[in-house]
Amino acid sequence: MTSANAISQSWVLYLLECKNGAYYAGITNDLASRFSAHVAGKGARYTRANPPVKILATKPYPNRSTASVAEAQLKSLPRHKKLNFFEADI
């Protein structure tokens, strides 16, 4: 069984849909706080100008390094393949 503390220590790759319809991808070790920061205009520069409306997908990773690699892979994909990335085992 996974403890709540272990979950909070893992990293998450996330995909947001922004108000303008664009996708924004990022990584965090606290998704709720990071999403709140994006919504409040205190997140990334892109989401300050294009506020997110919802979280489309998430995928956990054991550490920041693997999450960063996955983020780079996700960002290299065309838009129509981004959601499928969260279904695949990479």
Side-chain angles (χ1 to χ4, degrees):
M1 177 152 67
T2 306
S3 72
N5 190 36
I7 291 170
S8 68
Q9 295 300 316
S10 66
W11 284 80
V12 177
L13 172 65
Y14 60 90
L15 186 66
L16 306 178
E17 182 178 357
C18 296
K19 196 172 190 175
N20 65 355
Y23 290 165
Y24 175 84
I27 61 170
T28 184
N29 60 357
D30 186 344
L31 185 58
S33 293
R34 187 68 176 144
F35 184 69
S36 294
H38 283 305
V39 170
K42 298 180 183 199
R45 180 181 296 164
Y46 186 82
T47 58
R48 286 194 298 262
N50 304 284
V53 293
K54 64 182 171 181
I55 300 170
L56 292 175
T58 62
K59 192 169 188 178
Y61 288 88
N63 54 55
R64 183 182 179 127
S65 177
T66 55
S68 291
V69 168
E71 180 185 19
Q73 291 171 341
L74 176 63
K75 288 181 174 182
S76 72
L77 294 175
R79 177 185 169 92
H80 69 277
K81 292 187 177 182
K82 290 188 190 240
L83 280 174
N84 291 339
F85 181 89
F86 289 87
E87 311 273 326
D89 289 329
I90 293 181

